[in-house]
């Protein structure tokens, strides 16, 4: 059975998005009265359309797929092309990026591409729950939420995520991304404001 990081709740068989929303709600409630919170919501621009084929085989191997299944999947991505006809002109460009729209394997391929990132974020300090636990990221398919206790501690996972996506040739959609900070006060209420400008 294929298993992905528990941080990724998009394209999974359980009520994952509900679980992620519940975890985030409880985290925000705690942050209002305890130690504050910085949350950064990132949207991956055209996520399915920009995944490079050259990176698919490596991440599928990481999942431990049987050799025959791995070869079958990779064969479906070999020598892909499209045909464009305009007026009396015709061209057949090779397709070297994008997972296939409508293919039932595409969500698995996408999650496999993102899984190493969540494994790396797991080892970075996020929102501090207690001395031995912190929460650094939650994912809803191609929407990511990075969590930290302060603006300073938020920088490392943000830079790492940006670098990981850039190495794939994937970019963050700045116009669809945002951030906010919660600061507890003496009355156990909170103030929130944007902390990063995209």
């Amino acid at each position: 059975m294929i298993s992905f990081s528990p941080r990724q709740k998009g394209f999974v068989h359980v009520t994952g998005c509900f679980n992620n929303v519940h975890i985030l709600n409880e985290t925000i409630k705690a942050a209002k009265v305890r130690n504050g919170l910085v949350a950064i919501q990132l949207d991956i621009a055209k996520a399915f359309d920009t995944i490079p084929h050259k990176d698919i085989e490596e991440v599928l191997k990481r999942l431990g797929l049987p050799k025959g299944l791995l070869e079958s999947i990779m064969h479906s991505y070999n020598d892909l092309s499209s045909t464009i006809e305009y007026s009396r002109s015709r061209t057949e460009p090779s397709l070297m990026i994008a997972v296939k729209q409508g293919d039932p394997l595409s969500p698995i391929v996408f999650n496999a591409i993102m899984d190493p990132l969540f494994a790396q974020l797991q080892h970075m300090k996020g929102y501090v729950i207690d001395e031995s636990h912190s929460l650094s990221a939650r994912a809803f398919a191609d929407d990511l939420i990075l969590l930290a206790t302060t603006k300073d501690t938020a920088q490392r996972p943000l830079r790492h995520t940006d670098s990981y996506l850039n190495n794939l040739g994937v970019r963050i959609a700045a116009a669809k991304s945002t951030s906010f900070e919660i600061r507890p006060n003496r009355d156990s209420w909170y103030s929130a404001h944007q902390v990063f400008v995209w």
Side-chain angles (χ1 to χ4, degrees), residues 99-159:
V99 293
K100 300 174 182 178
Q101 300 292 327
D103 187 328
L105 284 175
S106 291
I108 294 172
V109 171
F110 179 80
N111 278 356
I113 286 283
M114 298 301 295
D115 204 55
L117 171 62
F118 299 124
Q120 295 156 14
L121 290 174
Q122 177 181 342
H123 300 292
M124 296 183 186
K125 189 174 183 179
Y127 171 75
V128 175
I129 298 170
D130 56 38
E131 289 184 0
S132 55
H133 298 89
S134 70
L135 186 65
S136 59
R138 296 279 107 184
F140 303 80
D142 58 341
D143 290 302
L144 317 179
I145 298 179
L146 305 179
L147 301 169
T149 305
T150 68
K151 287 186 282 187
D152 288 341
T153 56
Q155 294 297 327
R156 186 181 176 212
L158 177 59
R159 285 194 300 265

Side-chain angles (χ1 to χ4, degrees), residues 43-51 142 170-171 173:
D43 180 271
I44 301 174
K46 299 182 178 179
F48 268 44
D49 298 336
T50 52
I51 298 297
D142 58 341
V170 176
R171 65 182 182 84

